[in-house]
Amino acid sequence: ASALAARAAECTLKREVAMPMVASAEGSPIVSLRIDGKPENVLLDTGGFWSMIDPSIIDGFRHVRSPVEGRLGVGGIKMDTLVYAPSLQIGPTVFKDVAFFEAPKGYLSHFSATLGADWLSQSDIEIDPVHGTVSMFTKDHCEGKVVYWPHDDLAAVDMRIEPGARHLTVPMTLNGEAIRTLIDT
């Protein structure tokens, strides 16, 4: 415990925002953000490369054909339209002209949009399902020391962020074979 306290004292994490998670049947990290000034439920999609928005809330938003084609899910549903929301508010910060891939109709059933790696990689994210909160911290202040709270059950897990893909992966062994697993909310 004293070693953990010493590590916590060295760490100078800077929390940008703390948000309550919206209650959901599946326990997913869903938060309420403002898109074009309106409160919307948004999934923090740690396995999604790009952010998506539901077609039902994009009336009047600018649309363009994407220079890159996205593929969604196991079947590879094509996404090729970018939608620009006039604004996205996360905590006190408002971002202007925010790009989302247009999701297929009916795909986002319990929320209006997702934030994928294109947004989540800009901050260190803490998802605390026990307390129902999500915190965003400025990056690179506590390299290797992001476990800042006192506890007795510390276990080191070799998490990696895949270069280029920005996915969180964990190497594991299954039936004696080395595999790579994706952490996907």
Side-chain angles (χ1 to χ4, degrees):
S2 63
L4 288 174
R7 283 177 53 176
E10 295 170 12
C11 180
T12 56
L13 280 175
K14 296 178 184 168
R15 189 183 321 258
E16 297 174 305
V17 66
M19 302 172 278
M21 287 180 9
V22 174
S24 68
E26 58 279 331
S28 298
I30 298 172
V31 294
S32 180
L33 303 178
R34 292 180 103 52
I35 299 175
D36 194 28
K38 298 177 190 95
E40 301 286 353
N41 288 343
V42 177
L43 172 71
L44 303 182
D45 187 4
T46 62
F49 188 76
W50 290 99
S51 300
M52 295 185 293
I53 195 164
D54 191 79
S56 68
I57 68 164
I58 61 174
D59 285 343
F61 292 6
R62 182 168 56 98
H63 296 64
V64 298
R65 180 168 289 298
S66 173
V68 215
E69 184 178 286
R71 293 285 174 166
L72 180 62
V74 177
I77 301 167
K78 185 170 109 172
M79 294 189 306
D80 60 4
T81 302
L82 288 178
V83 176
Y84 287 85
S87 65
L88 171 67
Q89 183 174 347
I90 302 174
T93 307
V94 177
F95 302 91
K96 299 288 186 185
D97 206 30
V98 177
F100 292 88
F101 266 111
E102 181 177 353
K105 285 187 182 187
Y107 185 79
L108 304 178
S109 58
H110 301 293
F111 34 87
S112 300
T114 68
L115 290 186
D118 55 326
W119 275 92
L120 299 179
S121 64
Q122 297 175 43
S123 300
D124 286 334
I125 308 293
E126 173 190 70
I127 299 172
D128 184 347
V130 173
H131 294 104
T133 60
V134 171
S135 293
M136 300 175 106
F137 296 90
T138 56
K139 287 174 62 172
D140 306 323
H141 292 284
C142 296
E143 188 157 335
K145 301 174 191 152
V146 294
V147 179
Y148 61 91
W149 58 92
H151 60 313
D152 295 326
D153 58 351
L154 178 65
V157 176
D158 184 20
M159 238 184 246
R160 299 178 183 162
I161 297 177
E162 297 291 318
R166 299 187 286 196
H167 287 137
L168 293 171
T169 62
V170 177
M172 299 181 86
T173 303
L174 178 64
N175 294 333
E177 296 292 322
I179 62 170
R180 187 181 63 183
T181 58
L182 172 69
I183 296 178
D184 186 353
T185 57

